[in-house]
Amino acid sequence: MKPSRTDRFGIVAVLAYAGPIALASLLACGSNNPAEPQGAATTAMAVAPTALRWQSFQGVDLPVAQEGPGRIDSVVATGFDRGPAGAALAAIHSTVRMSIATDSQWPLVGQRMLATGRGRDRWATARAQISITAPIATGAPKVLGYTITRYVLDAADVEIYSIHPDDSVIRNSTRVIWQDDDWRLLVPEDPMASSVTAVDLPPAEMVALAQR
């Protein structure tokens, strides 16, 4: 399978972040409705990850920082800080890894990086119906940064911005929840809930991730 530009972070769309953008409708924010952020958590949402570096996964560069992941075991990234930056990094890693993991890799990503529930089950069913056997060779998107629109200790809504070779910018709206002592991506139950949107430019308030 050779994904097109808009597929890259949506490579299993109906799967989650993956699949043609028309399919990339399975990763909108979940149905949970956490309380509004309070106190120091609100200001911390704009603090960038520290000691940032980049590590490639299947042809896409992913950010690694002091806030996580603390451990990368083959295809699985775990050990994210519970604060806002850790939540954002977890959202990025989970979304990208679930989207471009190969046929032999995606079950581990699903088991260890996605929140349990009907959304994950539906994603797994859809993912099993397509085949990804190789990394992205050319034209991989670049993660620019993120905004956190809502954060509490147990849940965070993260909008991830990426740029593609034709200079188009894509926003992917995600939600992570704190489950089993780590942040896990919450895949929505509604397969028609769209999460991927083309935008003119990233917002001014985006937490920019310094490129290599």
Side-chain angles (χ1 to χ4, degrees), residues 92-148:
I92 293 169
H93 275 265
S94 300
T95 300
V96 174
R97 289 172 185 273
M98 75 182 293
S99 301
I100 59 179
T102 65
D103 296 347
S104 63
Q105 295 172 337
W106 70 261
L108 277 176
V109 175
Q111 292 167 14
R112 298 178 57 188
M113 299 189 70
L114 306 185
T116 56
R118 292 180 61 189
R120 185 180 74 170
D121 294 343
R122 290 183 176 182
W123 170 80
T125 299
R127 175 61 182 85
Q129 298 178 42
I130 70 166
S131 180
I132 299 175
T133 59
I136 297 175
T138 59
K142 294 182 179 180
V143 178
L144 295 176
Y146 62 86
T147 59
I148 299 177

Side-chain angles (χ1 to χ4, degrees), residues 27-185:
L27 236 209
C29 291
S31 59
N32 291 357
N33 188 27
E36 294 296 329
Q38 298 177 358
T42 304
T43 57
M45 291 194 298
V47 176
T50 54
L52 180 70
R53 59 188 177 86
W54 295 85
Q55 184 167 329
S56 180
F57 174 73
Q58 291 292 97
V60 175
D61 288 337
L62 294 176
V64 177
Q66 183 173 321
E67 293 80 5
R71 178 182 175 87
I72 298 178
D73 181 10
S74 181
V75 301
V76 174
T78 57
F80 293 93
D81 185 86
R82 197 163 183 176
L89 291 168
I92 293 169
H93 275 265
S94 300
T95 300
V96 174
R97 289 172 185 273
M98 75 182 293
S99 301
I100 59 179
T102 65
D103 296 347
S104 63
Q105 295 172 337
W106 70 261
L108 277 176
V109 175
Q111 292 167 14
R112 298 178 57 188
M113 299 189 70
L114 306 185
T116 56
R118 292 180 61 189
R120 185 180 74 170
D121 294 343
R122 290 183 176 182
W123 170 80
T125 299
R127 175 61 182 85
Q129 298 178 42
I130 70 166
S131 180
I132 299 175
T133 59
I136 297 175
T138 59
K142 294 182 179 180
V143 178
L144 295 176
Y146 62 86
T147 59
I148 299 177
T149 58
R150 181 174 299 197
Y151 168 81
V152 291
L153 282 177
D154 294 327
D157 292 343
V158 183
E159 294 188 338
I160 304 165
Y161 293 85
S162 59
I163 191 168
H164 297 261
D166 61 0
D167 291 331
S168 61
V169 177
I170 299 297
R171 178 183 65 213
N172 193 305
S173 301
T174 69
R175 175 169 291 182
V176 290
I177 62 173
W178 189 257
Q179 186 179 87
D180 298 329
D181 295 322
D182 211 348
W183 290 111
R184 292 187 176 226
L185 188 69

